Amino acid sequence: MKKRKTFQMLLDIIILIFLVAIDQYTKYIAVQKLKNQPAFNIINGVLEFNYLENRGAAFGMLQNQKIFFVFVAVIFLCVIAYVLVKAPQKEKYFKLHILLVMIAGGAIGNLIDRLRFDYVVDFIYIALINFPIFNVADMYVTFSTVLLIFQVLFVYKENDFNFLSFNQKKFRELK
């Protein structure tokens, strides 16, 4: 069982590194090709690449709050790490691992930008619905969070998360 846990954690780390690398590479390309350039149409009137230095959160909220964003990201990453370490080595938790690693990958990708530049590089714009400009890390977080909520609401049962209790014996006594 210990070998399986070690393998799962190694797999999580490899996937995480891969996701962060993809995010950082796409942002690097965006800086090289899009910065100080007009928007690049992919599908006219629908999708374009448009460089933006975002000093806020989603939809530009909380501008210039770097310390707050770094603090929140570190807290989220600690919670994710705790859940990944505590999750039982059963097949039904594989999707949980993948979704949490994707959320962590997005958080780390944007955290790297905030620490390096004091802003996050955004470049994907859906013009059709005038959606705020975003990046690959944002897609990781959004997509995986929606799927995680679906999993928690409709797939996992109440007792599937007993492993998160700090004291299993006390938790069982409360029931």
Side-chain angles (χ1 to χ4, degrees):
M1 193 64 146
K2 182 146 173 93
K3 277 186 175 181
R4 187 170 182 183
K5 182 81 164 178
T6 302
F7 175 77
Q8 181 65 57
M9 295 309 295
L10 184 61
L11 182 62
D12 290 346
I13 291 168
I14 290 168
I15 292 169
L16 181 66
I17 290 169
F18 180 73
L19 292 172
V20 171
I22 290 171
D23 172 66
Q24 290 297 296
Y25 180 71
T26 60
K27 290 174 180 174
Y28 170 78
I29 297 296
V31 170
Q32 297 301 311
K33 303 289 185 183
L34 300 172
K35 188 172 184 176
N36 300 319
Q37 299 295 321
F40 180 80
N41 282 317
I42 304 297
I43 303 171
N44 196 25
V46 178
L47 178 66
E48 62 186 45
F49 290 151
N50 192 349
Y51 181 83
L52 174 71
E53 295 174 357
N54 184 355
R55 288 171 170 73
F59 310 107
M61 297 183 300
L62 300 170
Q63 290 290 313
N64 300 311
Q65 300 296 317
K66 175 184 172 179
I67 294 171
F68 172 74
F69 291 126
V70 169
F71 176 75
V72 169
V74 169
I75 297 298
F76 270 98
L77 291 169
C78 288
V79 169
I80 288 170
Y82 176 79
V83 174
L84 290 174
V85 168
K86 295 296 265 181
Q89 295 306 302
K90 295 181 181 174
E91 190 175 320
K92 71 177 172 182
Y93 294 105
F94 182 73
K95 289 177 189 168
L96 178 69
H97 272 267
I98 296 298
L99 295 173
L100 290 177
V101 167
M102 286 181 68
I103 293 169
I108 291 170
N110 284 340
L111 181 61
I112 289 169
D113 282 13
R114 287 193 197 288
L115 293 173
R116 285 181 61 203
F117 309 122
D118 291 336
Y119 57 83
V120 173
V121 174
D122 287 336
F123 60 93
I124 303 168
Y125 177 58
I126 303 174
L128 181 67
I129 58 174
N130 193 26
F131 195 79
I133 301 172
F134 57 97
N135 60 46
V136 173
D138 297 336
M139 292 190 307
Y140 296 159
V141 171
T142 303
F143 177 74
S144 54
T145 300
V146 168
L147 289 179
L148 181 62
I149 290 169
F150 178 81
Q151 292 286 309
V152 169
L153 291 177
F154 301 110
V155 176
Y156 292 114
K157 308 294 184 256
E158 180 182 335
N159 62 350
D160 285 339
F161 293 102
N162 288 351
F163 67 88
L164 294 175
S165 173
F166 287 103
N167 186 332
Q168 293 291 326
K169 187 176 180 182
K170 282 188 179 180
F171 181 81
R172 282 188 220 109
E173 290 171 2
L174 292 174
K175 283 191 145 188

